[in-house]
Amino acid sequence: MGKNILIAGKELPACADFAEGLALAGHSVVVAGGMDAEKTVSASGVSVAPWNKSSSIAARSLIIQAETAAGFIDDAILYFDAPLFASQYLSFSVDCCPRALDAMVVCYQYLSIEFLNRIAQHKTASRIVYILKTCPTPADVLRSSGGRKLPPASVTPIVCAAEAAFAAFAESVAALNADNEYVSVLLISGDGQNETMKKDSALAAWLRDYLDASDALRGKGGARNSAAWIKAGAKVPGTFALFR
């Protein structure tokens, strides 16, 4: 049975393969776009809804728009792609900070809080999937190079800090909702060398199976939230040892 899915954090066209991989499996998919995004529907059935990342009211509006387009959201996928952000936020400057905070930190927190509020209001089971695609920090590169000079295109500390903030926030949301009967939280991570995470089409295909397995186990009362990260591409388990 198809699900209603909202994808936020990674926009079109960057997440086209990921969104279409889910849509072609029979799911109704809505992707959060920028403020200049038009409410369009692609040939594969992916809808686009505008989103002002700096506003909590806009986060609430995005969820309502997604529900209007697809129905009550079964899965909200919040995707943090650090390599992509690193290519977009190259400046380590004061001017970059406000834009970076809106795009990489505040928006995920606003949307998570509003989505949790929506679930509590409806008292209907739903899930938040946090996906974190990591990249090496300057400190990682320096350590691995034996202390030699960093390459000029090193990831800025602003992106590194945002990645850490996303991870800590996602883990805490999962932990705080461990016993919530309506909220399910899934944490997925991988770096650019992870075979599944390399291509969004492969990530979507794996995630479809993983979510189905999660649903089947929850139906038997065996799945609970965990603050542990699952590596993208991990074997879809018959028993969910990753939930405790």
Side-chain angles (χ1 to χ4, degrees), residues 80 101 104-105 137 155-167:
F80 189 104
L101 283 172
M104 295 188 289
V105 180
T137 68
V155 180
T156 70
I158 293 172
V159 175
C160 297
E163 179 185 318
F166 179 86

Side-chain angles (χ1 to χ4, degrees), residues 6-127:
L6 170 63
I7 301 171
K10 186 171 183 177
E11 300 175 0
L12 295 172
C15 78
D17 288 344
F18 182 70
E20 290 178 3
L22 295 172
L24 292 173
H27 302 306
S28 297
V29 179
V30 179
V31 176
M35 283 303 295
D36 57 349
E38 298 181 1
K39 296 180 182 178
T40 57
V41 180
S42 72
S44 59
V46 177
S47 301
V48 181
W51 179 29
N52 178 0
K53 295 181 178 181
S54 63
S55 167
S56 61
I57 295 174
R60 191 179 315 149
S61 175
L62 171 62
I63 294 168
I64 294 172
Q65 289 181 68
E67 290 179 350
T68 300
F72 183 76
I73 301 302
D74 299 301
D75 292 309
I77 301 176
L78 277 60
Y79 195 154
F80 189 104
D81 189 330
L84 178 63
F85 284 137
S87 70
Q88 296 172 341
Y89 295 92
L90 300 171
S91 172
F92 182 36
S93 66
V94 171
D95 291 340
C96 182
C97 285
R99 293 185 297 106
L101 283 172
D102 286 343
M104 295 188 289
V105 180
V106 173
C107 64
Y108 292 107
Q109 297 181 7
Y110 281 153
L111 191 55
S112 296
I113 292 168
E114 292 297 339
F115 190 59
L116 289 168
N117 289 340
R118 196 71 173 170
I119 296 172
Q121 178 185 357
H122 282 266
K123 290 183 169 56
T124 302
S126 191
R127 173 169 44 207

